[in-house]
Amino acid sequence: MTGNQSSAGHLLRLIRSGRATTRGELQRATGLSRSTVGNRLDQLFRAGWLRDGATVPVGGPSGGRPSNRLEFDGTHAVVLAVDLETRHGRAAVLNLNGAVLAEQSGVLTIEDGPDRVVDRVARWFPALLERAGAAPGDVCGIGMSVPGPVDRRTGQVVQPPIMPGWDGYPIPERMRRAYREHVGADGSGRDGGPVVLVENDANLMAYAEQRTSHPDCSAFLLVKVSTGIGAGLVVDGEMYRGIDGGAGDIGHIRLHDRPDALCMCGSYGCLAAVASGRALAGRLSAAGVPAASGAGVRELLAAGHPDAVRLAREAGRRVGEVLVTVVTVLNPGVLMIAGDLAGTPFVTGVRELLYQRAMPRSTAHLTVATSRLGERGGLVGAGAMVVEHLYEPERADARLAAMGL
């Protein structure tokens, strides 16, 4: 850990993590005096970031005065979250505890390019804020989930196979401009608008699902199978992105027996060219069963269409072939399947190959599950990403100083 370990931001982290939630526990955890802890907490209360919770009885034979449990006040600001898919988009207003206050979805075509897509999503914001009972000045940040690899340093998408026209585009700057145009310049950012963070969709879904459903899992793997195929990995509570955001791009692992399958990336034999929602939609359409995308395949699966069920199970087996290696290398505690194809036929296919070919040691403590957050996973993950960024100790201290606290 870096920075001032006695700062208000550091105390806030202890409270938010649950490691110390009373004044006495904070004194013991930090070694600070009662008066210093009180001064730091006063900063956080004046900022509106803390509130007193339930009374905690004091244990021990001598008893003592009960303490109030300190809680992060997730209602003092809101986050705007955006989840972009290839043919669809969602946006929502969330409080800082991750509760969705208002939500909207609509048809968006990622191939229309970043300028048009970002502007259209930003047009949803005013009505969303009104429905959520929030003002523009309440927005502390915007989190964006996109179906491609993202360079964390710049917020730019890097060579995304299914996002033509987005490579290297300055998404954060464009979103801030669109926010100012459609909402106004109010917000907690220093440049007249809220902070904008962009991240890969599978990473954010994994982040949300791990925090929500499997907080004790120290190695959590989520595989999203929709139009494309990608994976998100959360290790010790943090997203693992690799060197430049390319970790988890398993859809472009080559299958040795499908050199004929042309992928969106321009290569042949990629897993996504064989087992993604786009690939299955193409095979179904060629057989006279119209399906335009992974969402169309999902609808056919929900209706129990026999060809869709058969192809989904086959696709699950192909993905399972790749996951044998992935699971052996990463040794996760949970493997979660999400996305348009994440139903019984596909998951059954994954299980068949995984347990047939992986060493028993690799799967002995592995739980294979499906998404619990469903379509909201990307939104919840995007909101959580913004909150963790803004209330990280050093950044929280800087924000307090900017408030004059």
Side-chain angles (χ1 to χ4, degrees):
M1 287 189 279
T2 60
N4 183 359
Q5 301 298 295
S6 66
S7 72
H10 178 64
L11 267 60
L12 181 64
R13 178 167 61 182
L14 293 174
I15 294 166
R16 293 187 64 230
S17 68
R19 285 182 283 170
T21 58
T22 67
R23 288 164 173 79
E25 288 173 352
L26 289 168
Q27 287 177 244
R28 290 189 290 274
T30 62
L32 299 174
S33 68
R34 180 178 178 179
S35 61
T36 301
V37 167
N39 289 335
R40 301 289 187 266
L41 293 178
D42 184 55
Q43 290 178 270
L44 297 171
F45 273 108
R46 283 187 286 147
W49 296 359
L50 280 190
R51 65 186 176 196
D52 283 316
T55 300
V56 181
V58 176
S62 60
R65 200 167 154 188
S67 299
N68 285 328
R69 190 176 298 282
L70 300 166
E71 297 177 350
F72 178 63
D73 187 350
T75 66
H76 74 266
V78 297
V79 173
L80 285 165
V82 174
D83 182 13
L84 299 180
E85 297 189 0
T86 55
R87 295 174 177 267
H88 193 264
R90 297 180 188 83
V93 181
L94 296 86
N95 70 19
L96 303 187
N97 292 327
V100 176
L101 306 178
E103 185 176 358
Q104 180 170 338
S105 63
V107 176
L108 291 174
T109 304
I110 206 80
E111 293 179 358
D112 285 345
D115 191 64
R116 291 178 62 184
V117 170
V118 169
D119 184 75
R120 181 170 181 191
V121 169
R123 290 176 184 271
W124 296 349
F125 292 165
L128 279 170
L129 289 169
E130 184 177 357
R131 283 162 44 202
D138 296 330
V139 178
C140 64
I142 302 172
M144 298 184 64
S145 167
V146 298
V150 176
D151 186 332
R152 185 185 184 189
R153 297 167 300 173
T154 63
Q156 296 177 1
V157 182
V158 181
Q159 300 178 6
I162 61 176
M163 299 177 70
W166 291 73
D167 183 27
Y169 186 87
I171 301 173
E173 291 82 352
R174 180 65 181 93
M175 176 54 81
R176 276 191 287 268
R177 180 158 58 88
Y179 180 88
R180 289 194 295 269
E181 290 172 357
H182 299 299
V183 180
D186 290 335
S188 62
R190 294 183 181 181
D191 59 352
V195 63
V196 178
L197 303 179
V198 184
E199 185 54 79
N200 170 262
D201 55 356
N203 286 347
L204 289 178
M205 291 172 70
Y207 193 50
E209 295 278 5
Q210 188 271 338
R211 290 162 62 96
T212 302
S213 304
H214 302 275
D216 296 328
C217 180
S218 60
F220 180 93
L221 175 66
L222 179 142
V223 177
K224 180 184 179 183
V225 187
S226 290
T227 298
I229 300 176
L233 180 64
V234 177
V235 178
D236 292 333
E238 300 289 339
M239 285 181 273
Y240 179 77
R241 301 174 174 89
I243 297 300
D244 60 5
D249 203 3
I250 65 171
H252 300 285
I253 293 176
R254 308 288 177 82
L255 301 177
H256 68 88
D257 60 342
R258 289 302 309 272
D260 60 313
L262 177 62
C263 183
M264 288 284 291
C265 72
S267 298
Y268 287 86
C270 293
L271 178 65
V274 175
S276 66
R278 182 191 293 270
L280 267 61
R283 293 176 65 184
L284 287 165
S285 296
V289 183
S293 64
V297 178
R298 180 181 61 191
E299 292 172 2
L300 291 169
L301 289 170
H305 192 285
D307 288 341
V309 169
R310 174 179 56 82
L311 289 176
R313 185 161 180 169
E314 289 178 7
R317 290 174 62 85
R318 298 314 305 253
V319 172
E321 290 179 42
V322 169
L323 289 179
V324 169
T325 300
V326 174
V327 165
T328 301
V329 171
L330 300 179
N331 190 210
V334 175
L335 165 62
M336 180 170 284
I337 309 297
D340 290 329
L341 302 190
T344 300
F346 184 89
V347 175
T348 298
V350 170
R351 286 177 175 272
E352 285 176 354
L353 259 291
L354 186 59
Y355 286 100
Q356 175 187 338
R357 296 191 181 179
M359 291 290 290
R361 176 69 184 81
S362 299
T363 57
H365 302 288
L366 177 68
T367 297
V368 180
T370 53
S371 169
R372 294 190 183 181
L373 293 173
E375 294 183 344
R376 281 186 168 177
L379 295 174
V380 174
M385 169 180 64
V386 171
V387 173
E388 293 305 319
H389 172 83
L390 289 175
Y391 295 91
E392 176 273 332
E394 291 185 18
R395 192 166 287 106
D397 289 331
R399 293 174 65 210
L400 291 169
M403 295 179 195
L405 299 176

